[in-house]
Amino acid sequence: MLRFFSRSLIQARRFSHLVGHKRFYKHYSPLRQAISSKRLQSSLASTTAVETPSTNVDLTGLSPIRRYDEITKNGPVRADVGQRDVVTKLDDLWYHLREYQPKPYREQGKSRTWGRWFGYRNQEHDLVEVDKNVPKSLYIYGNVGTGKTMVMDLFFDTLAITRKRRVHFHAFMLDVHQRIHRIKTQYPALADPLAPIADDLVKESYVLCFDEFQVTDIADAMILRNLFEELFRRGVVLVTTSNRHPTELYKNGIQRASFIPCIDLLMNRCEVLCLDSGTDYRKVERAQSHVFFHPLNQDTKGKINEITKVLTHNKKMTPMDLHFLSRTLTIPEQANGVAKVKFSDVCAKPLSAADYLEIVKNFHTVIMTDIPRMTMKHRAEARRFITFIDAMYESHVTLVASAENDILNIFNADEGKEEMQDQMRAMMDSLDVGDISSPLFSGQEEAFAFQRALSRLIQMQSTEWVNDDLKKLEYGL
């Protein structure tokens, strides 16, 4: 664990001067985008009423507000005043975007092309104003499970333009890192890779919808300010969801002062909307599947084995190597689109989001066994577990799991704090660092993120979520 935090501190120091240095960017592959209808279906499931009417609603050609009214009147979603207020704002933006296309971007002063990219930066460049005709972006924040993703998907799926992109924010940043690495490898002398990246992004999509905007990584924090400046200059419109208000992003993070201009930019360019009805719709009572088993005993092991046989259609499970980004990740057991792994295989080893994204890209179901009870002493493992859950949730992967404790008690953010803080102080003394107020050291970030993961785990146990083979099982499915 000390190695984990030492690496973060060292990264922070190195990133304080040069954002684009090629040594600090890894190869990543972006998360595949879910098929629109499937993504919307999973979003609707998180706000489904206890009893779901069987009425089929034709939503073709509707604007976001009309679509929302239809699915709350005749479809599977409960009407929520807070959601409708946000959808009304999304509806206004939807109509503005029907007539909008960004103007070709031209930088003042010298040509933007190679001069600035290879080190020249015109002072007038920083004074270039954004076209006043660009519709204002929307930043939607609130507690977990309140329907933020659902309302954003209503907007995205009804928006009749081709240059649009909906992506989990974590996957978007992995994509940006990959682009930076590719450009820095091809043009080692390039001083500012974010300008050409912004050019490419706006050519692909001038409406970007980000789900789960969060900043916990020092590398992302150092990139975002300049990247968003470049995107906004080119007329990009953002619609993003987050569990935090913009002023709470990266709170107490390492070198947060360098991130403050990004917050100011978001506050200036976005209308900030709060969606917080006080209800976590993912936890609303609904038919549950038997896919999460505890404790770790022979009975649980037998249930997992029986489910495995059904999911694999009794095929023999064999190892499989996933080759990506000049790396190899071995799945110890797999068959028929089902991966079976132990918690220690995927969360106790130094894997990253790129590994988890590759897993969900190749398997529709993950069986994870032997999940231990985690405390702050296991925060590195907990963080990887949360990242894996996020990847599975975004790709609508079915999770079957066995754990030491029930789902509500697999992580305790209060236990182990004193031991963790002692380790942190020893490490920071050796690194000559004096401030431990950051969530990196207090565990606040993990506790917050695990609440979101818990909400998602509860939804992922619902009958609506799991695949058809599980629905046919005799365990009350």
Side-chain angles (χ1 to χ4, degrees):
M1 184 172 66
L2 292 178
R3 189 183 303 114
F4 171 79
F5 292 110
S6 299
R7 185 167 61 249
S8 296
L9 284 171
I10 293 169
Q11 279 186 329
R13 289 178 171 177
R14 291 174 175 173
F15 269 99
S16 61
H17 300 294
L18 264 182
V19 174
H21 201 285
K22 63 183 178 181
R23 289 181 300 169
F24 304 107
Y25 295 102
K26 299 177 181 179
H27 295 276
Y28 293 107
S29 62
L31 178 65
R32 60 175 182 174
Q33 297 192 13
I35 298 174
S36 175
S37 60
K38 185 175 182 181
R39 181 185 62 247
L40 179 57
Q41 183 180 10
S42 65
S43 298
L44 295 179
S46 66
T47 52
T48 300
V50 177
E51 295 183 3
T52 303
S54 59
T55 305
N56 293 322
V57 183
D58 183 7
L59 302 175
T60 305
L62 299 182
S63 70
I65 193 65
R66 291 182 61 198
R67 188 166 188 175
Y68 181 80
D69 287 342
E70 286 287 344
I71 62 177
T72 54
K73 181 180 179 180
N74 303 314
V77 178
R78 290 179 173 180
D80 183 289
V81 175
Q83 289 178 1
R84 197 178 191 283
D85 288 343
V86 171
V87 175
T88 300
K89 294 288 187 179
L90 289 165
D91 201 68
D92 292 340
L93 178 59
W94 184 86
Y95 277 103
H96 283 126
L97 288 172
R98 293 175 68 182
E99 307 297 330
Y100 172 74
Q101 277 201 357
K103 296 179 180 179
Y105 175 68
R106 293 292 182 269
E107 188 175 317
Q108 294 182 10
K110 288 194 175 184
S111 172
R112 165 178 58 80
T113 53
W114 294 105
R116 176 171 163 249
W117 291 357
F118 282 98
Y120 174 84
R121 188 177 182 92
N122 182 15
Q123 291 182 350
E124 293 183 1
H125 169 82
D126 295 319
L127 302 177
V128 175
E129 294 185 359
V130 177
D131 185 352
K132 294 181 179 180
N133 294 320
V134 177
K136 196 153 191 175
S137 297
L138 295 180
Y139 184 107
I140 306 166
Y141 79 99
N143 285 335
V144 298
T146 55
K148 299 182 298 295
T149 298
M150 183 202 71
V151 298
M152 184 182 72
D153 286 344
L154 286 175
F155 166 80
F156 181 84
D157 292 336
T158 57
L159 188 60
I161 65 173
T162 56
R163 289 167 59 193
K164 62 179 181 176
R165 181 182 182 189
R166 189 271 191 201
V167 63
H168 191 279
F169 185 72
H170 195 55
F172 174 76
M173 289 309 301
L174 294 179
D175 180 30
V176 170
H177 282 284
Q178 184 183 31
R179 292 172 189 253
I180 290 173
H181 179 90
R182 185 166 58 245
I183 291 177
K184 295 293 286 185
T185 300
Q186 188 173 1
Y187 304 106
L190 187 62
D192 182 7
L194 296 181
I197 287 174
D199 285 338
D200 288 342
L201 288 172
V202 76
K203 288 176 184 177
E204 299 165 5
S205 311
Y206 61 84
V207 176
L208 293 174
C209 293
F210 296 142
D211 193 27
E212 298 286 354
F213 188 3
Q214 57 178 324
V215 185
T216 59
D217 183 86
I218 181 63
D220 292 348
M222 296 296 102
I223 290 170
L224 281 172
R225 174 196 172 184
N226 291 334
L227 178 61
F228 278 3
E229 282 182 348
E230 299 290 354
L231 291 174
F232 283 134
R233 283 194 179 101
R234 288 158 177 78
V236 167
V237 177
L238 300 183
V239 176
T240 185
T241 71
S242 179
N243 296 131
R244 297 186 183 275
H245 189 279
T247 57
E248 297 291 310
L249 290 170
Y250 199 50
K251 190 174 182 179
N252 296 324
I254 297 173
Q255 296 194 4
R256 188 175 188 258
S258 299
F259 185 70
I260 295 297
C262 182
I263 293 175
D264 294 339
L265 183 64
L266 287 171
M267 293 296 293
N268 178 259
R269 292 298 306 153
C270 299
E271 182 175 358
V272 180
L273 307 173
C274 180
L275 176 49
D276 196 355
S277 61
T279 300
D280 184 346
Y281 286 101
R282 294 180 188 140
K283 295 181 180 179
V284 170
E285 184 180 353
R286 54 167 60 89
Q288 293 289 297
S289 301
H290 293 173
V291 292
F292 194 97
F293 301 93
H294 73 94
L296 298 176
N297 55 25
Q298 288 300 316
D299 182 56
T300 292
K301 186 176 181 180
K303 292 177 180 177
I304 291 291
N305 288 339
E306 187 164 352
I307 288 178
T308 301
K309 291 178 181 178
V310 172
L311 291 174
T312 60
H313 299 169
N314 284 315
K315 291 182 179 178
K316 181 180 179 181
M317 302 194 83
T318 59
M320 178 178 177
D321 289 336
L322 302 179
H323 302 284
F324 61 106
L325 309 175
S326 302
R327 300 171 53 189
T328 299
L329 175 64
T330 300
I331 304 300
E333 295 183 273
Q334 63 79 37
N336 204 42
V338 178
K340 188 175 183 181
V341 297
K342 293 182 179 180
F343 177 89
S344 58
D345 293 331
V346 290
C347 297
K349 296 179 180 179
L351 302 185
S352 69
D355 299 286
Y356 304 134
L357 296 176
E358 191 68 19
I359 293 173
V360 301
K361 189 169 69 174
N362 284 275
F363 300 100
H364 58 71
T365 300
V366 172
I367 301 172
M368 186 188 300
T369 64
D370 303 310
I371 301 174
R373 179 177 177 272
M374 289 171 275
T375 69
M376 292 310 298
K377 293 187 294 185
H378 313 99
R379 57 185 299 178
E381 292 91 336
R383 171 59 68 178
R384 296 186 191 107
F385 180 71
I386 292 167
T387 303
F388 197 9
I389 294 299
D390 286 345
M392 287 189 278
Y393 184 88
E394 181 67 14
S395 289
H396 203 96
V397 168
T398 295
L399 172 66
V400 178
S402 66
E404 183 178 351
N405 278 50
D406 65 89
I407 194 170
L408 297 176
N409 294 291
I410 58 175
F411 182 75
N412 189 326
D414 295 322
E415 187 177 339
K417 275 188 175 182
E418 292 184 2
E419 180 178 342
M420 178 199 71
Q421 289 173 352
D422 290 341
Q423 292 176 330
M424 291 302 99
R425 289 190 183 96
M427 180 196 71
M428 294 176 74
D429 287 343
S430 66
L431 293 174
D432 193 26
V433 177
D435 181 17
I436 61 170
S437 62
S438 169
L440 177 66
F441 305 110
S442 67
Q444 297 172 18
E445 197 63 46
E446 281 77 9
F448 181 86
F450 208 89
Q451 286 302 309
R452 184 186 73 248
L454 178 60
S455 174
R456 290 182 164 186
L457 281 169
I458 291 172
Q459 184 185 350
M460 291 167 73
Q461 293 182 80
S462 68
T463 304
E464 300 157 340
W465 185 275
V466 301
N467 63 36
D468 291 338
D469 285 333
L470 281 174
K471 293 176 183 176
K472 299 174 183 176
L473 280 176
E474 296 297 327
Y475 295 113
L477 300 177

